[in-house]
Amino acid sequence: MSTSRYHDTYAAWKADPEGFWGEAARDIDWFRPHDRVFDATLGVYGRWFPGAETNTCHNCLDRHVNGGRADQTALIYDSPITRTRRSYTYSELLDHVQAMASVLADHGIGRGDRVILYMPMIPEAAMAMLACARLGAIHSVVFGGFAANELATRIDDATPKAIICASCGLEPGRSIAYKPLVDAAIDLSDHKPDRVMVIQRTQLGAALDRPGDLDLGAAMGQALAEGRTVPCTPVAATDPLYVLYTSGTTGQPKGVVRDTGGHMVALKWSMQNLYGINPGEVFWAASDVGWVVGHSYIVYGPLLHGCTTVVFEGKPVGTPDAGVFWRVISDHKVAALFTAPTAFRAIKKEDPSGRLIHDYDLSTFRTLFLAGERADPDTIRWAEDKLGVPVIDHWWQTETGWAIVGNPVGLGMLPVKHGSPTVAMPGYDVRVLDDAGHPLPAGTLGNIVVRLPLPPGCLPTLWNADQRFRSAYLDEFPGYYKTADAGVIDADGYLSIMARTDDIINVAGHRLSTGAMEEVLSGHPDVAECAVIGIADQLKGQLPCGFVVLKAGVSRSHAEIETELVKRVRDLIGPVAAFKIAITVDRLPKTRSGKILRGTMRQIADGLEYKMPATIDDPAILSEIEAALNAYGVRTRA
Ligand code: COA
Ligand code: AMP
């Protein structure tokens, strides 16, 4: 029998959801209490904690400084790529955030204004997020691996008053000048922000020669020297804290809105009950502030909980070696690490025997958490075996902001079943439905949905797009949120995630839209039509693979066009798309009604058994696709 409190806790939530979250809300400081825990009549499906006022920066910083943690380390910056280490106590972090907030306020940024952040993994990224929160401004962080064009789309959607960026990002062996990318994005966008505020980095400075450019680091330095303070602006619990864009089925990303009150309640609850972390301990999420994991578990979760967080600027391998994760855990006494399985696959490839682990003292390390993509049992077993700590897979999405399904270490771990991220967290009533919306029995694969309302922390809507929110997530299965993941729940209530039901692929833990890549390929003047699929990859989980049919009469070499297509995706979406495979074919397999058979193409590329689709127009085309993949070097059969 399990001694976990999970089942009782989940039952308590189910019996009285408002009582459950009302109790959890006591762990947050509110300037004004809520009128109701949940009001189903507000918003698209209801809102959490209406009537309440609070401020996220207050709960992350001021509260701890006033409550006895002023001298505790809040944030450790560890950058093997620049060989730099720096740390800030809660009191120092508060000073820096107030300095940055005062500069933002001087330039007219206040409650409800949007600010886009295009930042590498430096402390100023977290400071900028917290400074916006302090002022009631809404930040929108854009991952540095996205190109100017993607940034421009987000500028037009979020209409920010300012952009905060660093002069450069650093990847192994190259610096990426960020400011010219930001300038290019502003030139492309219809909306023009008033200011571009730049943190100059010594590795590669930026020319600040356009109207509105500002040296943010210098202005912050002056504000710090003057000891400037800025009070926390009270905002409604239902006000947005941030908008984070994530891939949708088209080139137009979805602006996931995160509210203020519910977000804090959910993250604080998760730190203790899911991650099993105590205030004062060191929690390290080796992700990037550009992703939801970075928002929730580099910045907000650990700070809300009074932990020490680690901002790591490096890679799991190559900076300088596959031992860097163990070095960071040992140097900073990390209690829990959260990363994507792909990072472990990279480490395992470089150091299969785990030899480097023995060079470090990992005695403080208790738990490894994995999310962002499917955790394959081989990788989990390797990590369990080499590290000797529990390895916890958990499943969630940008939209939810925290785990839907996990193994609640803080409540007492449940037995691990490899391949399953375990059970639904309180707040989530997870079901598996067939395409017509009927419940499926245990063990049957179907659409994973969550019964409405979603718990605190999940998106209330999409930025300025209630209707898109409804049509993308709520309309297909009335009364439920569609996760767009397919999976099964077993007789013990354990969920397994099998695949996406849309055209999203997962490349090295990064969520990407094949639809967006198809739009880019179709824009090439020689391309008549195309299809992008995700094919299995041992390191990155999936890799995008593009098939193109050229327009009649195009006589240029295929290789030349394919190189242009690879460059085009890199230039228009960004290096993060990892789009390196473009293959020219004569025709694409389609149904008689003209739908491209992407699923069958993927099964062929992955060497899986496939059934000839009954509606296929011309079965011979499938052999042509297989031959093209083989000619490219993709092995389609064992
Ligand atoms: N700015 C600019 N470029 C970036 C970037 C950034 N912030 N992040 C990545 N890129 C570039 C990389 O340099 C690479 O460029 P290249 O094609 O010139 O080599 C490209 O984008 C693809 O990056 P990535 O998929 O990360 O591959 P990689 O080969 O650099 O590293 C891993 C592989 C597995 C080590 C790496 O993906 C990793 O650490 N993954 C962890 C995943 C993760 O943190 N996910 C977050 C969700 S939890
Ligand atoms: P993102 O919004 O970038 O966090 O990506 C969310 C998607 O990543 C999910 O919808 C899943 O498809 C996938 N994903 C995240 N975590 C897991 C996991 N633990 N197991 C399987 N897939 C996952």
Side-chain angles (χ1 to χ4, degrees), residues 143-145 171 174 176 178 286-288 291 293 315-317 339-340 342-343 346 371 508-510 539-540 570 575-576 578 580:
F143 179 63
E171 284 292 289
R174 73 191 161 104
I176 300 118
Y178 276 1
S287 177
D288 187 286
W291 308 116
V293 174
K315 301 262 173 180
V317 294
T339 190
T342 193
H510 308 319
L539 176 65
K540 298 195 176 187
R570 194 176 174 94
V576 66
K580 310 244 158 113

PDB file of all heavy atoms in Angstrom, residues 143-145 171 174 176 178 286-288 291 293 315-317 339-340 342-343 346 371 508-510 539-540 570 575-576 578 580, ligand 1:
ATOM      1  N   PHE A 143      11.749  33.636 -27.104  1.00  0.00           N
ATOM      2  CA  PHE A 143      12.972  32.830 -27.061  1.00  0.00           C
ATOM      3  C   PHE A 143      13.989  33.339 -28.085  1.00  0.00           C
ATOM      4  O   PHE A 143      13.638  33.639 -29.231  1.00  0.00           O
ATOM      5  CB  PHE A 143      12.601  31.367 -27.350  1.00  0.00           C
ATOM      6  CG  PHE A 143      13.764  30.433 -27.364  1.00  0.00           C
ATOM      7  CD1 PHE A 143      14.525  30.227 -26.224  1.00  0.00           C
ATOM      8  CD2 PHE A 143      14.110  29.740 -28.522  1.00  0.00           C
ATOM      9  CE1 PHE A 143      15.603  29.357 -26.228  1.00  0.00           C
ATOM     10  CE2 PHE A 143      15.185  28.862 -28.537  1.00  0.00           C
ATOM     11  CZ  PHE A 143      15.932  28.667 -27.387  1.00  0.00           C
ATOM     12  N   GLY A 144      15.260  33.415 -27.654  1.00  0.00           N
ATOM     13  CA  GLY A 144      16.313  33.989 -28.489  1.00  0.00           C
ATOM     14  C   GLY A 144      16.615  33.204 -29.763  1.00  0.00           C
ATOM     15  O   GLY A 144      17.262  33.736 -30.662  1.00  0.00           O
ATOM     16  N   GLY A 145      16.148  31.966 -29.850  1.00  0.00           N
ATOM     17  CA  GLY A 145      16.410  31.188 -31.062  1.00  0.00           C
ATOM     18  C   GLY A 145      15.413  31.458 -32.168  1.00  0.00           C
ATOM     19  O   GLY A 145      15.484  30.855 -33.235  1.00  0.00           O
ATOM     20  N   GLU A 171      25.868  31.153 -28.102  1.00  0.00           N
ATOM     21  CA  GLU A 171      25.742  29.726 -28.348  1.00  0.00           C
ATOM     22  C   GLU A 171      27.173  29.203 -28.462  1.00  0.00           C
ATOM     23  O   GLU A 171      28.082  29.964 -28.808  1.00  0.00           O
ATOM     24  CB  GLU A 171      24.989  29.476 -29.654  1.00  0.00           C
ATOM     25  CG  GLU A 171      23.500  29.687 -29.569  1.00  0.00           C
ATOM     26  CD  GLU A 171      22.817  28.644 -28.703  1.00  0.00           C
ATOM     27  OE1 GLU A 171      22.720  27.490 -29.109  1.00  0.00           O
ATOM     28  OE2 GLU A 171      22.386  29.001 -27.591  1.00  0.00           O
ATOM     29  N   ARG A 174      29.626  30.657 -31.114  1.00  0.00           N
ATOM     30  CA  ARG A 174      29.186  31.845 -31.856  1.00  0.00           C
ATOM     31  C   ARG A 174      28.359  32.769 -30.962  1.00  0.00           C
ATOM     32  O   ARG A 174      27.684  32.319 -30.037  1.00  0.00           O
ATOM     33  CB  ARG A 174      28.415  31.457 -33.118  1.00  0.00           C
ATOM     34  CG  ARG A 174      27.046  30.920 -32.881  1.00  0.00           C
ATOM     35  CD  ARG A 174      26.445  30.301 -34.136  1.00  0.00           C
ATOM     36  NE  ARG A 174      25.349  29.433 -33.744  1.00  0.00           N
ATOM     37  CZ  ARG A 174      24.063  29.729 -33.879  1.00  0.00           C
ATOM     38  NH1 ARG A 174      23.714  30.857 -34.446  1.00  0.00           N
ATOM     39  NH2 ARG A 174      23.121  28.915 -33.464  1.00  0.00           N
ATOM     40  N   ILE A 176      25.354  35.654 -31.045  1.00  0.00           N
ATOM     41  CA  ILE A 176      24.246  36.071 -31.910  1.00  0.00           C
ATOM     42  C   ILE A 176      23.896  37.497 -31.526  1.00  0.00           C
ATOM     43  O   ILE A 176      23.482  37.749 -30.387  1.00  0.00           O
ATOM     44  CB  ILE A 176      23.018  35.163 -31.738  1.00  0.00           C
ATOM     45  CG1 ILE A 176      23.405  33.727 -32.099  1.00  0.00           C
ATOM     46  CG2 ILE A 176      21.850  35.592 -32.605  1.00  0.00           C
ATOM     47  CD1 ILE A 176      23.286  32.782 -30.989  1.00  0.00           C
ATOM     48  N   TYR A 178      21.746  40.263 -30.932  1.00  0.00           N
ATOM     49  CA  TYR A 178      20.295  40.343 -30.751  1.00  0.00           C
ATOM     50  C   TYR A 178      19.718  41.680 -31.220  1.00  0.00           C
ATOM     51  O   TYR A 178      18.612  41.744 -31.728  1.00  0.00           O
ATOM     52  CB  TYR A 178      19.924  40.159 -29.273  1.00  0.00           C
ATOM     53  CG  TYR A 178      19.812  38.714 -28.812  1.00  0.00           C
ATOM     54  CD1 TYR A 178      20.058  37.645 -29.664  1.00  0.00           C
ATOM     55  CD2 TYR A 178      19.435  38.424 -27.501  1.00  0.00           C
ATOM     56  CE1 TYR A 178      19.951  36.335 -29.225  1.00  0.00           C
ATOM     57  CE2 TYR A 178      19.313  37.116 -27.051  1.00  0.00           C
ATOM     58  CZ  TYR A 178      19.575  36.072 -27.915  1.00  0.00           C
ATOM     59  OH  TYR A 178      19.449  34.784 -27.473  1.00  0.00           O
ATOM     60  N   ALA A 286      16.851  23.640 -15.713  1.00  0.00           N
ATOM     61  CA  ALA A 286      17.810  23.883 -16.796  1.00  0.00           C
ATOM     62  C   ALA A 286      17.026  24.033 -18.096  1.00  0.00           C
ATOM     63  O   ALA A 286      17.051  23.177 -18.966  1.00  0.00           O
ATOM     64  CB  ALA A 286      18.806  22.735 -16.887  1.00  0.00           C
ATOM     65  N   SER A 287      16.312  25.116 -18.197  1.00  0.00           N
ATOM     66  CA  SER A 287      15.537  25.403 -19.393  1.00  0.00           C
ATOM     67  C   SER A 287      15.937  26.810 -19.836  1.00  0.00           C
ATOM     68  O   SER A 287      17.082  27.216 -19.637  1.00  0.00           O
ATOM     69  CB  SER A 287      14.050  25.291 -19.052  1.00  0.00           C
ATOM     70  OG  SER A 287      13.262  25.618 -20.165  1.00  0.00           O
ATOM     71  N   ASP A 288      15.029  27.542 -20.397  1.00  0.00           N
ATOM     72  CA  ASP A 288      15.326  28.898 -20.865  1.00  0.00           C
ATOM     73  C   ASP A 288      14.127  29.762 -20.514  1.00  0.00           C
ATOM     74  O   ASP A 288      12.981  29.291 -20.573  1.00  0.00           O
ATOM     75  CB  ASP A 288      15.534  28.875 -22.386  1.00  0.00           C
ATOM     76  CG  ASP A 288      16.025  30.212 -22.926  1.00  0.00           C
ATOM     77  OD1 ASP A 288      15.220  31.171 -22.998  1.00  0.00           O
ATOM     78  OD2 ASP A 288      17.222  30.304 -23.271  1.00  0.00           O
ATOM     79  N   TRP A 291      10.826  29.791 -22.545  1.00  0.00           N
ATOM     80  CA  TRP A 291       9.809  28.729 -22.529  1.00  0.00           C
ATOM     81  C   TRP A 291       9.012  28.804 -21.245  1.00  0.00           C
ATOM     82  O   TRP A 291       9.433  29.410 -20.265  1.00  0.00           O
ATOM     83  CB  TRP A 291      10.465  27.349 -22.651  1.00  0.00           C
ATOM     84  CG  TRP A 291      11.403  27.222 -23.807  1.00  0.00           C
ATOM     85  CD1 TRP A 291      12.740  27.000 -23.735  1.00  0.00           C
ATOM     86  CD2 TRP A 291      11.090  27.327 -25.211  1.00  0.00           C
ATOM     87  NE1 TRP A 291      13.277  26.939 -25.000  1.00  0.00           N
ATOM     88  CE2 TRP A 291      12.289  27.135 -25.920  1.00  0.00           C
ATOM     89  CE3 TRP A 291       9.908  27.540 -25.927  1.00  0.00           C
ATOM     90  CZ2 TRP A 291      12.350  27.165 -27.312  1.00  0.00           C
ATOM     91  CZ3 TRP A 291       9.967  27.567 -27.310  1.00  0.00           C
ATOM     92  CH2 TRP A 291      11.175  27.377 -27.992  1.00  0.00           C
ATOM     93  N   VAL A 293       8.605  26.545 -19.038  1.00  0.00           N
ATOM     94  CA  VAL A 293       9.333  25.957 -17.907  1.00  0.00           C
ATOM     95  C   VAL A 293      10.202  27.032 -17.249  1.00  0.00           C
ATOM     96  O   VAL A 293      10.320  27.102 -16.027  1.00  0.00           O
ATOM     97  CB  VAL A 293      10.202  24.762 -18.375  1.00  0.00           C
ATOM     98  CG1 VAL A 293      11.061  24.250 -17.233  1.00  0.00           C
ATOM     99  CG2 VAL A 293       9.323  23.651 -18.926  1.00  0.00           C
ATOM    100  N   LYS A 315      24.935  24.551 -22.051  1.00  0.00           N
ATOM    101  CA  LYS A 315      24.253  23.387 -22.632  1.00  0.00           C
ATOM    102  C   LYS A 315      24.620  22.175 -21.794  1.00  0.00           C
ATOM    103  O   LYS A 315      25.644  22.175 -21.119  1.00  0.00           O
ATOM    104  CB  LYS A 315      24.742  23.168 -24.069  1.00  0.00           C
ATOM    105  CG  LYS A 315      24.520  24.337 -24.989  1.00  0.00           C
ATOM    106  CD  LYS A 315      23.274  24.158 -25.805  1.00  0.00           C
ATOM    107  CE  LYS A 315      22.958  25.406 -26.592  1.00  0.00           C
ATOM    108  NZ  LYS A 315      21.778  25.306 -27.408  1.00  0.00           N
ATOM    109  N   PRO A 316      23.840  21.119 -21.891  1.00  0.00           N
ATOM    110  CA  PRO A 316      24.170  19.925 -21.103  1.00  0.00           C
ATOM    111  C   PRO A 316      25.477  19.264 -21.543  1.00  0.00           C
ATOM    112  O   PRO A 316      26.102  18.558 -20.767  1.00  0.00           O
ATOM    113  CB  PRO A 316      22.974  18.998 -21.346  1.00  0.00           C
ATOM    114  CG  PRO A 316      22.215  19.568 -22.500  1.00  0.00           C
ATOM    115  CD  PRO A 316      22.548  21.004 -22.586  1.00  0.00           C
ATOM    116  N   VAL A 317      25.863  19.498 -22.791  1.00  0.00           N
ATOM    117  CA  VAL A 317      27.141  18.957 -23.272  1.00  0.00           C
ATOM    118  C   VAL A 317      27.894  20.076 -23.989  1.00  0.00           C
ATOM    119  O   VAL A 317      27.290  20.999 -24.519  1.00  0.00           O
ATOM    120  CB  VAL A 317      26.925  17.782 -24.263  1.00  0.00           C
ATOM    121  CG1 VAL A 317      26.301  16.583 -23.554  1.00  0.00           C
ATOM    122  CG2 VAL A 317      26.048  18.200 -25.441  1.00  0.00           C
ATOM    123  N   THR A 339      14.661  19.270 -16.118  1.00  0.00           N
ATOM    124  CA  THR A 339      15.137  19.514 -17.478  1.00  0.00           C
ATOM    125  C   THR A 339      14.347  18.649 -18.465  1.00  0.00           C
ATOM    126  O   THR A 339      13.412  17.965 -18.075  1.00  0.00           O
ATOM    127  CB  THR A 339      16.668  19.266 -17.578  1.00  0.00           C
ATOM    128  OG1 THR A 339      17.135  19.723 -18.844  1.00  0.00           O
ATOM    129  CG2 THR A 339      17.012  17.784 -17.435  1.00  0.00           C
ATOM    130  N   ALA A 340      14.726  18.731 -19.724  1.00  0.00           N
ATOM    131  CA  ALA A 340      14.031  17.955 -20.753  1.00  0.00           C
ATOM    132  C   ALA A 340      14.809  16.654 -20.991  1.00  0.00           C
ATOM    133  O   ALA A 340      16.035  16.636 -20.915  1.00  0.00           O
ATOM    134  CB  ALA A 340      13.945  18.764 -22.038  1.00  0.00           C
ATOM    135  N   THR A 342      15.733  15.290 -23.581  1.00  0.00           N
ATOM    136  CA  THR A 342      16.739  15.425 -24.630  1.00  0.00           C
ATOM    137  C   THR A 342      18.101  15.811 -24.051  1.00  0.00           C
ATOM    138  O   THR A 342      19.142  15.380 -24.550  1.00  0.00           O
ATOM    139  CB  THR A 342      16.259  16.431 -25.703  1.00  0.00           C
ATOM    140  OG1 THR A 342      17.067  16.343 -26.836  1.00  0.00           O
ATOM    141  CG2 THR A 342      16.233  17.840 -25.191  1.00  0.00           C
ATOM    142  N   ALA A 343      18.098  16.579 -22.978  1.00  0.00           N
ATOM    143  CA  ALA A 343      19.366  16.964 -22.341  1.00  0.00           C
ATOM    144  C   ALA A 343      20.057  15.716 -21.799  1.00  0.00           C
ATOM    145  O   ALA A 343      21.277  15.554 -21.938  1.00  0.00           O
ATOM    146  CB  ALA A 343      19.106  17.964 -21.221  1.00  0.00           C
ATOM    147  N   ALA A 346      21.491  13.690 -24.587  1.00  0.00           N
ATOM    148  CA  ALA A 346      22.756  14.278 -25.042  1.00  0.00           C
ATOM    149  C   ALA A 346      23.898  13.882 -24.099  1.00  0.00           C
ATOM    150  O   ALA A 346      24.991  13.515 -24.543  1.00  0.00           O
ATOM    151  CB  ALA A 346      22.620  15.802 -25.120  1.00  0.00           C
ATOM    152  N   ALA A 371      10.392  16.928 -18.219  1.00  0.00           N
ATOM    153  CA  ALA A 371       9.153  17.278 -18.934  1.00  0.00           C
ATOM    154  C   ALA A 371       9.522  17.968 -20.238  1.00  0.00           C
ATOM    155  O   ALA A 371      10.690  18.229 -20.514  1.00  0.00           O
ATOM    156  CB  ALA A 371       8.263  18.186 -18.102  1.00  0.00           C
ATOM    157  N   ALA A 508      13.909  18.531 -29.572  1.00  0.00           N
ATOM    158  CA  ALA A 508      14.782  18.829 -28.429  1.00  0.00           C
ATOM    159  C   ALA A 508      14.007  19.553 -27.323  1.00  0.00           C
ATOM    160  O   ALA A 508      14.497  20.516 -26.747  1.00  0.00           O
ATOM    161  CB  ALA A 508      15.998  19.656 -28.885  1.00  0.00           C
ATOM    162  N   GLY A 509      12.793  19.101 -27.068  1.00  0.00           N
ATOM    163  CA  GLY A 509      11.994  19.726 -26.011  1.00  0.00           C
ATOM    164  C   GLY A 509      11.389  21.048 -26.434  1.00  0.00           C
ATOM    165  O   GLY A 509      10.744  21.713 -25.626  1.00  0.00           O
ATOM    166  N   HIS A 510      11.597  21.444 -27.678  1.00  0.00           N
ATOM    167  CA  HIS A 510      11.023  22.698 -28.168  1.00  0.00           C
ATOM    168  C   HIS A 510       9.790  22.386 -29.005  1.00  0.00           C
ATOM    169  O   HIS A 510       9.827  21.527 -29.883  1.00  0.00           O
ATOM    170  CB  HIS A 510      12.030  23.469 -29.033  1.00  0.00           C
ATOM    171  CG  HIS A 510      13.362  23.686 -28.382  1.00  0.00           C
ATOM    172  ND1 HIS A 510      13.505  24.022 -27.062  1.00  0.00           N
ATOM    173  CD2 HIS A 510      14.621  23.615 -28.870  1.00  0.00           C
ATOM    174  CE1 HIS A 510      14.786  24.147 -26.765  1.00  0.00           C
ATOM    175  NE2 HIS A 510      15.491  23.895 -27.844  1.00  0.00           N
ATOM    176  N   LEU A 539      18.387  11.725 -30.630  1.00  0.00           N
ATOM    177  CA  LEU A 539      18.817  12.751 -29.674  1.00  0.00           C
ATOM    178  C   LEU A 539      17.695  13.732 -29.383  1.00  0.00           C
ATOM    179  O   LEU A 539      17.336  13.985 -28.231  1.00  0.00           O
ATOM    180  CB  LEU A 539      20.034  13.490 -30.233  1.00  0.00           C
ATOM    181  CG  LEU A 539      20.541  14.665 -29.384  1.00  0.00           C
ATOM    182  CD1 LEU A 539      21.062  14.171 -28.038  1.00  0.00           C
ATOM    183  CD2 LEU A 539      21.623  15.454 -30.112  1.00  0.00           C
ATOM    184  N   LYS A 540      17.134  14.304 -30.437  1.00  0.00           N
ATOM    185  CA  LYS A 540      16.184  15.400 -30.242  1.00  0.00           C
ATOM    186  C   LYS A 540      14.726  14.945 -30.161  1.00  0.00           C
ATOM    187  O   LYS A 540      13.833  15.779 -30.073  1.00  0.00           O
ATOM    188  CB  LYS A 540      16.350  16.438 -31.353  1.00  0.00           C
ATOM    189  CG  LYS A 540      17.749  17.072 -31.326  1.00  0.00           C
ATOM    190  CD  LYS A 540      17.837  18.331 -32.157  1.00  0.00           C
ATOM    191  CE  LYS A 540      19.229  18.947 -32.010  1.00  0.00           C
ATOM    192  NZ  LYS A 540      19.353  20.236 -32.646  1.00  0.00           N
ATOM    193  N   ARG A 570      15.465  28.850 -41.433  1.00  0.00           N
ATOM    194  CA  ARG A 570      16.340  29.404 -40.393  1.00  0.00           C
ATOM    195  C   ARG A 570      16.166  30.921 -40.309  1.00  0.00           C
ATOM    196  O   ARG A 570      16.101  31.504 -39.229  1.00  0.00           O
ATOM    197  CB  ARG A 570      17.788  29.049 -40.725  1.00  0.00           C
ATOM    198  CG  ARG A 570      18.744  29.258 -39.568  1.00  0.00           C
ATOM    199  CD  ARG A 570      20.150  28.791 -39.946  1.00  0.00           C
ATOM    200  NE  ARG A 570      21.101  29.116 -38.901  1.00  0.00           N
ATOM    201  CZ  ARG A 570      21.451  28.289 -37.918  1.00  0.00           C
ATOM    202  NH1 ARG A 570      20.946  27.090 -37.855  1.00  0.00           N
ATOM    203  NH2 ARG A 570      22.316  28.670 -36.998  1.00  0.00           N
ATOM    204  N   PRO A 575      16.894  29.468 -35.885  1.00  0.00           N
ATOM    205  CA  PRO A 575      17.689  28.239 -35.763  1.00  0.00           C
ATOM    206  C   PRO A 575      16.998  27.201 -34.891  1.00  0.00           C
ATOM    207  O   PRO A 575      17.194  25.998 -35.069  1.00  0.00           O
ATOM    208  CB  PRO A 575      19.000  28.707 -35.118  1.00  0.00           C
ATOM    209  CG  PRO A 575      18.776  30.092 -34.644  1.00  0.00           C
ATOM    210  CD  PRO A 575      17.640  30.653 -35.432  1.00  0.00           C
ATOM    211  N   VAL A 576      16.162  27.641 -33.949  1.00  0.00           N
ATOM    212  CA  VAL A 576      15.512  26.703 -33.043  1.00  0.00           C
ATOM    213  C   VAL A 576      14.655  25.685 -33.798  1.00  0.00           C
ATOM    214  O   VAL A 576      14.427  24.574 -33.311  1.00  0.00           O
ATOM    215  CB  VAL A 576      14.673  27.466 -31.988  1.00  0.00           C
ATOM    216  CG1 VAL A 576      13.509  28.193 -32.607  1.00  0.00           C
ATOM    217  CG2 VAL A 576      14.184  26.517 -30.903  1.00  0.00           C
ATOM    218  N   ALA A 578      15.518  23.945 -36.129  1.00  0.00           N
ATOM    219  CA  ALA A 578      16.397  22.815 -36.455  1.00  0.00           C
ATOM    220  C   ALA A 578      15.968  22.148 -37.766  1.00  0.00           C
ATOM    221  O   ALA A 578      15.966  20.920 -37.902  1.00  0.00           O
ATOM    222  CB  ALA A 578      16.424  21.794 -35.302  1.00  0.00           C
ATOM    223  N   LYS A 580      16.700  21.005 -41.154  1.00  0.00           N
ATOM    224  CA  LYS A 580      17.893  20.736 -41.952  1.00  0.00           C
ATOM    225  C   LYS A 580      17.607  19.783 -43.101  1.00  0.00           C
ATOM    226  O   LYS A 580      18.468  19.521 -43.912  1.00  0.00           O
ATOM    227  CB  LYS A 580      18.997  20.125 -41.063  1.00  0.00           C
ATOM    228  CG  LYS A 580      19.266  20.916 -39.755  1.00  0.00           C
ATOM    229  CD  LYS A 580      20.647  21.518 -39.669  1.00  0.00           C
ATOM    230  CE  LYS A 580      20.683  22.683 -38.695  1.00  0.00           C
ATOM    231  NZ  LYS A 580      21.428  22.534 -37.495  1.00  0.00           N
TER     232      LYS A 580
HETATM  233  N1  COA B   1      19.571  31.821 -29.390  1.00  0.00           N
HETATM  234  C1  COA B   1      20.010  31.585 -30.637  1.00  0.00           C
HETATM  235  N2  COA B   1      20.140  30.353 -31.168  1.00  0.00           N
HETATM  236  C2  COA B   1      19.768  29.314 -30.413  1.00  0.00           C
HETATM  237  C3  COA B   1      19.292  29.478 -29.111  1.00  0.00           C
HETATM  238  C4  COA B   1      19.191  30.792 -28.599  1.00  0.00           C
HETATM  239  N3  COA B   1      18.740  31.034 -27.380  1.00  0.00           N
HETATM  240  N4  COA B   1      19.014  28.252 -28.607  1.00  0.00           N
HETATM  241  C5  COA B   1      19.317  27.359 -29.552  1.00  0.00           C
HETATM  242  N5  COA B   1      19.779  28.006 -30.648  1.00  0.00           N
HETATM  243  C6  COA B   1      20.244  27.406 -31.883  1.00  0.00           C
HETATM  244  C7  COA B   1      21.358  26.404 -31.620  1.00  0.00           C
HETATM  245  O1  COA B   1      22.617  27.041 -31.588  1.00  0.00           O
HETATM  246  C8  COA B   1      21.226  25.487 -32.816  1.00  0.00           C
HETATM  247  O2  COA B   1      21.829  26.144 -33.923  1.00  0.00           O
HETATM  248  P1  COA B   1      22.630  25.338 -35.058  1.00  0.00           P
HETATM  249  O3  COA B   1      21.561  24.810 -35.968  1.00  0.00           O
HETATM  250  O4  COA B   1      23.449  26.405 -35.700  1.00  0.00           O
HETATM  251  O5  COA B   1      23.421  24.270 -34.377  1.00  0.00           O
HETATM  252  C9  COA B   1      19.742  25.461 -33.100  1.00  0.00           C
HETATM  253  O6  COA B   1      19.206  26.641 -32.450  1.00  0.00           O
HETATM  254  C10 COA B   1      19.032  24.267 -32.524  1.00  0.00           C
HETATM  255  O7  COA B   1      19.206  24.273 -31.120  1.00  0.00           O
HETATM  256  P2  COA B   1      18.965  23.005 -30.213  1.00  0.00           P
HETATM  257  O8  COA B   1      17.780  22.264 -30.741  1.00  0.00           O
HETATM  258  O9  COA B   1      18.917  23.423 -28.801  1.00  0.00           O
HETATM  259  O10 COA B   1      20.170  22.062 -30.527  1.00  0.00           O
HETATM  260  P3  COA B   1      21.657  22.033 -30.021  1.00  0.00           P
HETATM  261  O11 COA B   1      22.322  21.086 -30.961  1.00  0.00           O
HETATM  262  O12 COA B   1      22.233  23.380 -29.852  1.00  0.00           O
HETATM  263  O13 COA B   1      21.570  21.344 -28.579  1.00  0.00           O
HETATM  264  C11 COA B   1      20.630  19.900 -26.919  1.00  0.00           C
HETATM  265  C12 COA B   1      20.985  20.077 -28.378  1.00  0.00           C
HETATM  266  C13 COA B   1      19.885  18.589 -26.734  1.00  0.00           C
HETATM  267  C14 COA B   1      21.885  19.879 -26.088  1.00  0.00           C
HETATM  268  C15 COA B   1      19.748  21.087 -26.527  1.00  0.00           C
HETATM  269  O14 COA B   1      18.661  21.138 -27.361  1.00  0.00           O
HETATM  270  C16 COA B   1      19.242  21.109 -25.114  1.00  0.00           C
HETATM  271  O15 COA B   1      19.915  21.392 -24.169  1.00  0.00           O
HETATM  272  N6  COA B   1      17.969  20.885 -24.960  1.00  0.00           N
HETATM  273  C17 COA B   1      17.294  21.021 -23.701  1.00  0.00           C
HETATM  274  C18 COA B   1      15.907  21.393 -24.063  1.00  0.00           C
HETATM  275  C19 COA B   1      15.289  22.400 -23.207  1.00  0.00           C
HETATM  276  O16 COA B   1      15.896  23.058 -22.412  1.00  0.00           O
HETATM  277  N7  COA B   1      13.987  22.540 -23.425  1.00  0.00           N
HETATM  278  C20 COA B   1      13.174  23.498 -22.752  1.00  0.00           C
HETATM  279  C21 COA B   1      11.902  22.903 -22.304  1.00  0.00           C
HETATM  280  S1  COA B   1      12.115  22.066 -20.750  1.00  0.00           S
END
